[in-house]
Amino acid sequence: MTKLSHTQTIILSRAAQNEDRIALPLPESLRGGAAAKVVGAMLAKGFLEEVDADMRRGEPVWRETGDGHGVTLVATDAGLAAIGIESADANTAPAGAADAPTEEPAPKARTPREGTKQATLIAMLRAPDGATIEEIMAATNWQSHTVRGAMSGALKKKLSLDVTSEKVEDRGRVYKLPAA
């Protein structure tokens, strides 16, 4: 299933409750540039589409076209599918819509760039003897709290690396990474 923001989910849920799938009005808290940005992203992803508003029936207008006509926003089959609702008229889905993958692709593995301080940190931790905080501070010109933060945040959380530490006599606490 596609990952949606809370606001996008609200917009599509409201549209799904309308027989004609009109996605207006937008949430009260969404105004101006923020509304344009959210709607623009949803149009780009194909979750919403702009259609001519039938002003005689009192359909809400998203924007005016400049020639006296208005445009409203309507949830597409893809938009309803994004919130887990299968369209009742799935047989009229646009060509290729059924071919779209239903699973999100796996996230790309993060790899550090060469020649950065983070790459230096990883190389030091992968050395057979590992590295101490002081050695890393000297090599990167970082302060101790930055070294610890990089190990816990960038290496452990973002890169999912297994940083280990052990107390070594005459050296203090030594941090290591398994060899690549």
Side-chain angles (χ1 to χ4, degrees), residues 92-122:
T92 62
D99 301 336
T102 56
E103 294 182 20
E104 288 187 39
K108 294 181 181 177
R110 294 178 180 248
T111 55
R113 296 183 316 221
E114 296 297 318
T116 62
K117 290 183 181 184
Q118 186 180 62
T120 302
L121 171 63
I122 292 171

Side-chain angles (χ1 to χ4, degrees), residues 37-49:
K37 188 170 184 173
V38 169
V39 169
M42 294 177 76
L43 288 168
K45 292 179 181 177
F47 296 154
L48 294 177
E49 65 181 347

Side-chain angles (χ1 to χ4, degrees), residues 110 112 116-125 132-133 136-137 139-164 175-177:
R110 294 178 180 248
T116 62
K117 290 183 181 184
Q118 186 180 62
T120 302
L121 171 63
I122 292 171
M124 291 180 75
L125 295 176
T132 65
I133 297 286
I136 297 168
M137 287 170 54
T140 60
N141 200 26
W142 283 344
Q143 294 183 5
S144 61
H145 66 275
T146 306
V147 173
R148 288 186 191 93
M151 284 193 288
S152 104
L155 301 187
K156 286 184 175 181
K157 292 179 183 172
K158 288 188 179 176
L159 297 175
S160 300
L161 297 175
D162 187 26
V163 180
T164 60
Y175 298 87
K176 293 182 183 181
L177 280 174

Side-chain angles (χ1 to χ4, degrees), residues 124-125 127-136 151 163-177:
M124 291 180 75
L125 295 176
D129 293 337
T132 65
I133 297 286
E134 292 76 22
E135 293 166 350
I136 297 168
M151 284 193 288
V163 180
T164 60
S165 72
E166 64 180 295
K167 201 134 186 159
V168 175
E169 198 171 315
D170 296 332
R171 215 168 150 209
R173 184 148 306 271
V174 175
Y175 298 87
K176 293 182 183 181
L177 280 174

Side-chain angles (χ1 to χ4, degrees), residues 62-76:
W62 160 244
R63 66 179 178 88
E64 291 187 19
T65 59
D67 58 358
H69 293 88
V71 174
T72 192
L73 298 171
V74 176
T76 63

